[in-house]
Amino acid sequence: MSDTASPIETAPPRNLRQRAADVIAECRLLAAMSEEPGRLTRRFLTPPVKEVHAHLRRRMIVLGMTVWVDAVGNLRGLWNPEGSTGKRLVLGSHIDTVPDAGAFDGVLGVVLALELVRSAAELSIPYPIEVIAFSEEEGVRFGVPFLGSRAVAGRFDPALLALQDTEGVTLEKSIRDFGLDPRDMDAAKLDENTFGFFEIHIEQGPVLEAEILQLAAVTAIAGQSRFHVTFSGQANHAGTTPMRLRHDALTAAAEWILAVESEVRRYAARHEAELVATAGKIEAKPNASNVIPGLVKVTLDVRSDRDFVRQIVVEELLAQGEAIASRRGVRFVAEQKMDQPAVSMDEELTALLAEALGGAGFPVRRMPSGAGHDAMVMATRVPSTMLFLRTPGAISHHPDESVMETDVEAALRVSEVFLKRLTFKSL
């Protein structure tokens, strides 16, 4: 277990720029707590999670917070100022990672949350602040994301305890091996006096950088439709089968994939909507250079912050798949794997966050998130909002993931203004 002192914990009084530099150093320090030497991989309730907990626990204690770990492994700390109103704000993000990850996805939001507790004490914020380091957002170990936030939002299905990882370890056993009791899951639910949830996260995309902006208030988290699509034709000899007599599954799939791109661009322009679609994985059989492909499997991922647009375009894309297959003498089958509605951030909290952007002297940019975050689960239980930071090079889920010191400083400045503006909401 690491006994390395926190750069923030040991720092003298600092200006915002120095505080931002210390936040970045803290994230890089935590990135060394990994399952694999030389690269960051930290899955749900693996030993490095205990290291991160120990490190963050020390920080919470120094800040005067009450600290505990709930039944799904979320590390939680409560700062309760003298004479508080009782209604609390929750800050946080996740500490698990994808394999070979970057240092800032999720963890930045946790480290910034603790820094904001320090700010709250300096600013005499009157309401309690709870910080949650969610144990599982990515879904890498057990194939199901948001286990930590599901428990906090009261949406944890006990059937999930039977899930197994690649080594055959059940979710229930992993919780018990971590020293926790899954029978205490109900106690993980959010305190009834919580008035809001605020998550700070890197954008993980190119929009802010392309617009030369540092920050944005998140308006919604996009809904997702995912399908496994199959084109079934007839495998045959590549040299002896005339072009007019072929039932080529791959050429049908190729035509459809191009149609996906063109249709989505057209619908996005027509509805002025944030809409994207991806055919991200393709498998052709028999996958031989001298055989006409007889079977092709393709994945389809459609996302939008407006559900009716997403549903319209999905229907059109599936209809086009049927038409293309029929014309080419092949069969088209689509199996739906996900239908996740868009989740809107709370209008009042997001308006206050936008006001904080302007009040701190930054352009007021609002944007949806194309990726899922813990805030989308928390929003089902409590008013929630998010602040995005620019992602240099749009690189995330990769060791080259980074943040700019000036952007972290900007996030601190805006978040402090936001905390002040929330005072009346806590009354």
Side-chain angles (χ1 to χ4, degrees):
M1 187 170 292
S2 172
D3 291 323
T4 309
S6 160
I8 293 174
E9 199 172 276
T10 58
R14 303 140 291 153
N15 59 27
L16 281 182
R17 178 61 61 85
Q18 183 58 53
R19 291 169 69 185
D22 290 344
V23 165
I24 293 172
E26 185 89 351
C27 291
R28 294 202 180 280
L29 178 64
L30 293 172
M33 300 174 189
S34 172
E35 298 176 62
E36 302 179 284
R39 69 179 202 163
L40 172 55
T41 300
R42 189 166 56 238
R43 297 172 301 151
F44 174 68
L45 299 190
T46 53
V49 174
K50 279 191 181 288
E51 291 187 74
V52 174
H53 279 188
H55 189 91
L56 295 177
R57 179 186 290 271
R58 289 198 300 271
R59 287 219 48 216
M60 290 176 171
I61 290 171
V62 168
L63 290 168
M65 304 175 77
T66 302
V67 187
W68 72 102
V69 178
D70 66 26
V72 77
N74 297 315
L75 177 68
R76 304 169 75 159
L78 179 64
W79 175 78
N80 201 358
E82 188 175 347
S84 73
T85 60
K87 290 185 179 180
R88 71 178 66 172
L89 174 69
V90 176
L91 309 177
S93 194
H94 61 98
I95 58 171
D96 66 304
T97 76
V98 298
D100 199 17
F104 301 99
D105 176 11
V107 173
L108 176 68
V110 177
V111 176
L112 277 172
L114 292 178
E115 187 65 9
L116 287 174
V117 170
R118 183 189 295 269
S119 296
E122 295 170 353
L123 297 170
S124 298
I125 296 298
Y127 50 83
I129 295 177
E130 181 180 348
V131 174
I132 305 180
F134 290 110
S135 58
E136 168 69 287
E137 188 257 14
E138 301 288 2
V140 172
R141 183 173 179 187
F142 288 97
V144 175
F146 308 120
L147 294 177
S149 49
R150 285 177 199 235
V152 175
R155 296 181 58 194
F156 187 90
D157 183 351
L160 294 170
L161 294 171
L163 291 172
Q164 294 186 6
D165 65 12
T166 56
E167 297 174 350
V169 177
T170 65
L171 177 57
E172 180 175 5
K173 187 174 189 305
S174 73
I175 290 173
R176 293 189 183 280
D177 288 349
F178 203 77
L180 304 170
D181 190 340
R183 292 174 297 182
D184 297 332
M185 200 65 69
D186 279 349
K189 293 179 182 177
L190 202 62
D191 187 274
E192 293 295 338
N193 283 323
T194 302
F195 71 84
F197 174 73
F198 177 42
E199 181 172 7
I200 305 172
H201 206 285
I202 57 174
E203 179 198 350
Q204 299 180 280
V207 175
L208 290 176
E209 184 172 62
E211 297 180 6
I212 318 178
L213 294 174
Q214 294 174 272
L215 306 169
V218 177
T219 55
I221 297 176
Q224 299 183 35
S225 297
R226 295 187 188 182
F227 290 84
H228 287 180
V229 171
T230 302
F231 289 87
S232 303
Q234 177 63 60
N236 215 329
H237 197 291
T240 62
T241 309
M243 300 299 287
R244 68 183 185 280
L245 299 179
R246 295 185 177 207
H247 302 280
D248 190 328
L250 184 54
T251 54
E255 182 179 346
W256 179 73
I257 290 169
L258 289 174
V260 167
E261 180 184 53
S262 60
E263 285 300 307
V264 167
R265 285 180 173 176
R266 184 168 65 87
Y267 271 86
R270 176 190 298 176
H271 295 283
E272 296 182 347
E274 298 287 345
L275 174 67
V276 295
T278 305
K281 181 180 180 181
I282 185 168
E283 178 184 357
K285 293 183 178 180
N287 201 31
S289 62
N290 60 347
V291 181
I292 299 165
L295 180 72
V296 173
K297 296 181 179 181
V298 185
T299 59
L300 175 66
D301 181 318
V302 183
R303 307 190 190 199
S304 178
D305 60 328
R306 294 160 70 182
D307 284 334
F308 84 92
V309 173
R310 174 174 55 86
Q311 291 160 359
I312 288 172
V313 79
V314 163
E315 290 176 5
E316 176 62 25
L317 295 179
L318 298 183
Q320 289 220 15
E322 290 276 8
I324 290 168
S326 176
R327 190 175 68 252
R328 288 180 170 272
V330 303
R331 184 167 174 260
F332 175 86
V333 175
E335 180 184 3
Q336 186 157 30
K337 294 296 184 179
M338 177 185 287
D339 183 19
Q340 169 67 51
V343 177
S344 295
M345 295 294 96
D346 181 73
E347 289 186 8
E348 185 179 354
L349 286 183
T350 304
L352 286 173
L353 183 57
E355 289 175 12
L357 278 165
F362 296 95
V364 178
R365 176 67 160 95
R366 296 176 175 86
M367 66 180 291
S369 171
H373 298 286
D374 288 304
M376 70 188 293
V377 178
M378 295 296 288
T380 65
R381 176 71 187 272
V382 66
S384 301
T385 195
M386 290 188 73
L387 180 69
F388 268 172
L389 281 77
R390 170 171 48 187
T391 305
I395 297 173
S396 184
H397 283 184
H398 186 278
D400 290 342
E401 179 182 273
S402 65
V403 292
M404 298 173 67
E405 194 174 285
T406 52
D407 294 352
V408 177
E409 178 188 5
L412 278 169
R413 189 179 304 278
V414 168
S415 297
E416 287 186 349
V417 175
F418 182 57
L419 292 185
K420 293 177 185 177
R421 290 174 183 257
L422 286 173
T423 296
F424 291 107
K425 189 166 180 61
S426 69
L427 298 176

